[in-house]
């Protein structure tokens, strides 16, 4: 006997919290309280990670030394989103960029704002724009905006 497939359509709202660890906490507190970027250095290879990582993914040793970084960087790559995913804090179209923070070795993923998406370019210099009200999460950085140097 053929039976029609039936579906329950629900919307699950699951509040939760997730401990970001001591390393992540220090990073977020720096953003929230001082608008400061802190990276962490691998004692073996010397790479500076921001956001900070507890362990160097290449050397597998604990990262130990914190270093204060500037709030500026260079766009290494980006994409323009033309579809809303329902959770993005930005209206479409919006730009997500990989930003190499000055003094760091890796890239930092965040929004690029205050710019027409058509004007965003690889190699563009950007500066963090902080939220007026910071609460201790990554969106304490509102976005990165182009700077003329
Ligand atoms: Zn290393």
């Amino acid at each position: 006997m053929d039976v029609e497939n039936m579906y329950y359509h629900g919307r699950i709202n699951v509040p939760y919290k997730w401990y970001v660890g001591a390393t992540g906490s220090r990073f977020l507190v720096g953003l929230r309280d001082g608008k400061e970027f802190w990276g962490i250095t691998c004692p073996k290879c010397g790479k500076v990670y921001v956001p900070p990582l507890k362990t160097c993914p290449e050397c597998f040793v604990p990262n130990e030394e914190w270093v204060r970084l500037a709030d500026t960087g260079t766009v290494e790559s980006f994409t323009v989103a033309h579809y809303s995913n329902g959770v993005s804090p930005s209206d479409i179209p919006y730009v997500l960029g990989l930003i190499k923070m000055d003094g760091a070795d890796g890239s930092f993923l965040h929004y690029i704002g205050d710019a027409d998406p058509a004007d965003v370019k690889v190699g563009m210099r950007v500066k963090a724009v902080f939220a007026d009200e910071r609460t201790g999460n990554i969106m304490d950085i509102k976005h990165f905006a182009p700077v003329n140097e």
Side-chain angles (χ1 to χ4, degrees):
M1 175 174 105
D2 289 333
V3 175
E4 176 185 0
N5 292 330
M6 302 301 290
Y7 300 92
Y8 171 76
H9 297 272
R11 291 181 57 92
I12 299 173
N13 181 9
V14 184
Y16 68 97
K17 63 180 178 181
W18 176 67
Y19 177 53
V20 299
T23 305
S25 293
R26 178 163 175 183
F27 176 67
L28 292 175
V29 166
L31 293 175
R32 181 191 67 193
D33 296 351
K35 299 182 182 178
E36 297 173 348
F37 276 87
W38 286 90
I40 198 164
T41 306
C42 171
K44 192 169 177 183
C45 70
K47 286 190 175 175
V48 175
Y49 294 98
V50 64
L53 301 174
K54 185 179 175 85
T55 303
C56 178
E58 296 182 22
C59 304
F60 304 108
V61 297
N63 292 326
E64 297 166 348
E65 185 182 342
W66 288 88
V67 290
R68 172 91 187 267
L69 299 172
D71 60 358
T72 52
T74 303
V75 175
E76 288 194 313
S77 183
F78 68 95
T79 189
V80 181
H82 294 278
Y83 299 96
S84 175
N85 62 12
V87 296
S88 170
S90 297
D91 294 330
I92 55 171
Y94 60 86
V95 182
L96 284 171
L98 283 175
I99 298 150
K100 184 177 182 305
M101 299 299 296
D102 293 340
D105 289 290
S107 296
F108 191 89
L109 176 66
H110 213 292
Y111 292 94
I112 297 174
D114 296 340
D116 185 317
D119 295 333
V120 176
K121 305 280 185 249
V122 169
M124 186 172 80
R125 297 284 297 153
V126 291
K127 180 178 175 67
V129 175
F130 288 90
D132 293 333
E133 197 168 311
R134 295 179 304 282
T135 59
N137 72 56
I138 200 64
M139 290 312 296
D140 286 351
I141 306 164
K142 189 174 171 186
H143 56 251
F144 283 81
V147 290
N148 295 319
E149 296 177 327

